[in-house]
Amino acid sequence: LVLLVVMWTLLSDIAYLRIEAGRDVRDIASGWIRENVAPGSSFVTLKTYREDRYFNPVIPETLEHTVFYLVQGNDSQSLFRNHKFDYLVLNEYIYKSMEGLGSKHPLEHYRQFHEALANSGYRPIKELKNPVNILGVDFSHSFASHDYTIVNPGIRIYRRE
């Protein structure tokens, strides 16, 4: 039994290390955007604080890029009402928090954004996430989301219909 526990722990650690050693999902997302989005298209990405540069992909310079700060006091409704971006990029840190708690989210600005997004006409077209697996075994459930979200954030790309 001890050997089984040690082997399971070792496999999950190796799966995690493969994520860290592999190609960064933010780079994969940037490449997908570069290859699949017409130059001149407009993007909006979200940040939760000014120095937040860890979760989003780099948007190519051939595209118009705006950052929206998902913080108390910013009006999510006006983001979608007053601006017509072609694409929206959300990282896992934001979309999992919104989807998991929805209208019961303790932060009002997350609740407002979730509602605004649902009524915005944006639909997901691509989701990128490196699997935390080895030998066909998925170890994603073995880690709290914060354990690997910084090294492996999921990226969702939405397009306005």
Side-chain angles (χ1 to χ4, degrees), residues 62-77:
T62 58
L63 304 171
E64 182 183 321
H65 179 216
T66 300
V67 174
F68 178 79
Y69 287 92
L70 185 59
V71 295
Q72 193 67 35
N74 270 3
D75 182 6
S76 299
Q77 298 287 340

Side-chain angles (χ1 to χ4, degrees), residues 36-76:
N36 294 282
V37 175
S41 296
S42 58
F43 267 80
V44 62
T45 56
L46 274 63
K47 290 185 175 186
T48 55
Y49 55 94
R50 183 175 303 277
E51 300 303 321
D52 180 0
R53 48 177 75 98
Y54 305 106
F55 298 106
N56 291 314
V58 173
I59 304 299
E61 292 180 8
T62 58
L63 304 171
E64 182 183 321
H65 179 216
T66 300
V67 174
F68 178 79
Y69 287 92
L70 185 59
V71 295
Q72 193 67 35
N74 270 3
D75 182 6
S76 299

Side-chain angles (χ1 to χ4, degrees), residues 124-135:
I125 59 167
K126 186 70 175 175
E127 185 162 347
L128 300 134
K129 178 85 174 157
N130 288 331
V132 184
N133 67 32
I134 189 166
L135 303 174

